[in-house]
Every structure is written in structure tokens, then in C-alpha cells.
Amino acid sequence: MEAALSSQATEAPQATIGQRLAAAREARGWTIDYCAETLHLPRNVLRKLEADEHLGIDYAIYLRSYITNYGRLLGLSIEAEIPRVQASEPQLVSTGGVSRSRHLLERYARAATYVMFTAVIVVPVAWLGISGALDHNISHLDPLDAAPVAASVAASSEPAASTAQVADATASKPQPLNAPSVVAGVPGLAAAASSPAQPLMASIMPGLEDRSGPAASAAAPVAAPAAGNGVVGAGAHSLDVGLAQASWVEVTAADGKRLAYGLLPADSTKTFRSDQDLTVRIGNASGATVKLDGNPVALDAYRHANVARFRVAVQGGSASATGF
């Protein structure tokens, strides 16, 4: 039978390899599906081999391997004819192109877009961090533990008394309209009268915003501290504050009333009496001593950056100091 199949396949000497493969398969009565399943190849590949359509099949060694295996399955010896099979290369077809100028334009336009978006995000953030978020009034605020604050209070204690005396004397005597001002002969008063009033401000902590504005004064009444010793308020519990150095003192009751808010001079003692809880802040705490109902209060436990902050808690008829 093998001889008959070979003779049938070779009857047409001009038959191509594909025609010989198809004739051998039909002579055996095999279908394309059977051959494809046996060779583990797609059916369309075998159809192209039988039609001598090699375009679209893997080139060179793969195409020749397909033909060799298919011929062996069908009992054909076609190895000698395989070199005649030319694996046609598919022709490359240009589907479109971009000019060099357009390519460069798109490339640099994309980079410029990234730079622009980066600038839009980074520049406002940097500007806010440098100018918008900084407090321009911070130059007018001094920390309580700074030496210039204590020096300014000490230097201004004596001129304050002489200024008050001169003001009383001036008010008691009528002055003609064309008379020179009496403040011109008093040292320090001429400069104060010629320049606008500039309040002396200090902050509880360095960088803390000024709390002496209209909003702060409207929130709670402020009791101006006396220059010397004295007692402020009334109540069963007493808080004694002794200052060896000039210090900022703020004492606020639980109802929001401020018993003290300002700079107290050195060598002064203040007593605050109250039946309510008190919130106490003392600047330049290294030069201050505090007693609560006659018992000393250690400020070191409540001091941070030379500013002591504590709360006087009144409960059950007794008062105690706690931090906050």
C-alpha cells in the first residue's frame, strides 16, 4: 500500500510540495483535523502547507520543520525538496510617520507641561511659607525670659513716678496757649510726646501672638497690676507671688476674669485671693517664688523655657497646684 501511495503522489512530476501533501492525505482518507491533532499544529497551518501559502507561517527552520513532520506523517520522503521552499518575508508597510520637528515639539511640550505644573504647585507653597505664614509682628514681641524686658521694666519704674508728678503739677496750673510745653524740660518726656505711643508688649512664650488687642480685652476684663505690693480679689484661698526680677504675670479666674495681666517690677509681691480655680502663668520664673495658702509651690515642675504654667484647683475646701 505504501508503494501505491508513493506512486500516486509521484504521478505528477510537476506537483508542488503542497499538492503532494494533500494527495497523500486524501489517499489515506485522513482529515485535516486528524492530522492537526496528531501533529499538534493548528488546522490553518496545515491548510496553508497544502496550498503552498507560506506567508504568515513562522520563517526558516519552523516552516521546514512543519513540512518535514507533515511529510513523515503521510509517509512522504520530501527532505530533498525542502531546500527549494523559500520562506517569504512579509513586506514592511509604513502606516504613518511623524516629522522630526513635530517629534521635537511634542517631546519638549511634554517636558514644559511637567515644569509648569510643578511651578504652579511649588511656587505658591514656597511663597506662603516665606511670606504668608510668617508673623510680621514677631519683631515687636519679646520672650518673657529675655534680658531687654527686665531691663526696660527696671529703667521705667522711676521715670513713671516723676511723669505722674509732672502731669499733676501741669494740670493744677493753667498754662497760656502760647507757652512752651512743660514736658520739654523733663528728661524722657519730650521724646515720648513727640513720638506716637507704642505699648510695651511681651509674650508668654517666644513667638506667641499678641493678646492685648481689642478682641482679647473684650473677651474678659483685665485687672491692671499695681506697681508695688497689694492684694487682689477676695476669697478663702490665697496665692502669693514674689518677684526677685521683673516678670510677666497672668492670673485668670475660672469665670474668665483676669486678676492680673501685665509686667510686674522686680522686688514686688502680689497676693491673689479667690474661691475659684485659678490659671497662673509667670514669665521669667527663675526669679519668682509662689506660695499657695502659705505652702511653697515648686515652680520647677511647671516651668518650661523659663515660663511657669500651672492651675490652682479648689476642691473640698482645699487648694492644690496642678500642671496643664
Side-chain angles (χ1 to χ4, degrees):
M1 181 177 181
E2 294 292 338
L5 292 175
S6 300
S7 62
Q8 292 179 4
T10 56
E11 286 179 357
Q14 301 298 327
T16 62
I17 295 179
Q19 294 173 351
R20 294 177 58 189
L21 292 174
R25 178 181 59 78
E26 293 174 356
R28 290 180 177 270
W30 293 348
T31 63
I32 289 289
D33 295 337
Y34 172 78
C35 295
E37 183 178 356
T38 304
L39 296 174
H40 302 289
L41 290 176
R43 287 173 294 176
N44 61 336
V45 172
L46 298 184
R47 289 194 180 96
K48 288 184 178 181
L49 292 179
E50 293 181 358
D52 293 314
E53 296 178 359
H54 302 151
L55 185 62
I57 303 178
D58 296 333
Y59 310 138
I61 186 64
Y62 297 106
L63 175 60
R64 296 172 184 175
S65 176
Y66 295 159
I67 297 175
T68 301
N69 293 335
Y70 197 16
R72 289 176 181 176
L73 177 64
L74 300 176
L76 297 179
S77 298
I78 55 177
E79 288 81 358
E81 302 178 18
I82 290 179
R84 293 187 297 140
V85 177
Q86 298 294 332
S88 59
E89 298 284 344
Q91 184 179 2
L92 298 179
V93 179
S94 177
T95 58
V98 179
S99 62
R100 178 176 178 79
S101 59
R102 182 176 178 181
H103 171 71
L104 294 177
L105 177 62
E106 293 179 353
R107 177 181 178 182
Y108 290 111
R110 188 180 301 109
T113 302
Y114 293 151
V115 173
M116 182 183 66
F117 278 110
T118 303
V120 168
I121 297 174
V122 173
V123 171
V125 173
W127 182 81
L128 289 176
I130 295 174
S131 60
L134 296 180
D135 186 4
H136 296 288
N137 296 327
I138 199 170
S139 60
H140 302 288
L141 302 178
D142 295 326
L144 296 182
D145 54 351
V149 174
S152 63
V153 174
S156 61
S157 59
E158 293 183 359
S162 60
T163 302
Q165 295 175 1
V166 173
D168 293 342
T170 304
S172 61
K173 294 182 180 181
Q175 299 293 333
L177 295 177
N178 57 354
S181 176
V182 69
V183 298
V186 181
L189 291 183
S194 60
S195 62
Q198 296 183 354
L200 178 62
M201 294 179 291
S203 62
I204 292 296
M205 294 292 291
L208 191 64
E209 294 183 356
D210 181 21
R211 300 175 55 188
S212 60
S217 60
V222 179
N229 303 335
V231 179
V232 179
H237 302 284
S238 62
L239 178 69
D240 300 323
V241 179
L243 302 176
Q245 303 175 5
S247 300
W248 177 278
V249 177
E250 179 183 358
V251 180
T252 307
D255 57 1
K257 180 180 179 181
R258 285 174 175 169
L259 304 180
Y261 184 77
L263 285 168
L264 295 181
D267 300 327
S268 62
T269 303
K270 296 289 292 184
T271 300
F272 303 94
R273 305 192 67 87
S274 176
D275 291 329
Q276 306 179 37
D277 294 353
L278 300 177
T279 301
V280 183
R281 293 180 176 87
I282 302 176
N284 199 13
S286 59
T289 58
V290 176
K291 292 183 179 181
L292 180 59
D293 290 341
N295 300 319
V297 177
L299 296 181
D300 292 339
Y302 314 113
R303 187 171 63 181
H304 179 71
N306 205 19
V307 177
R309 301 186 302 173
F310 61 94
R311 180 179 289 107
V312 177
V314 178
Q315 186 177 6
S318 62
S320 60
T322 59
F324 69 94

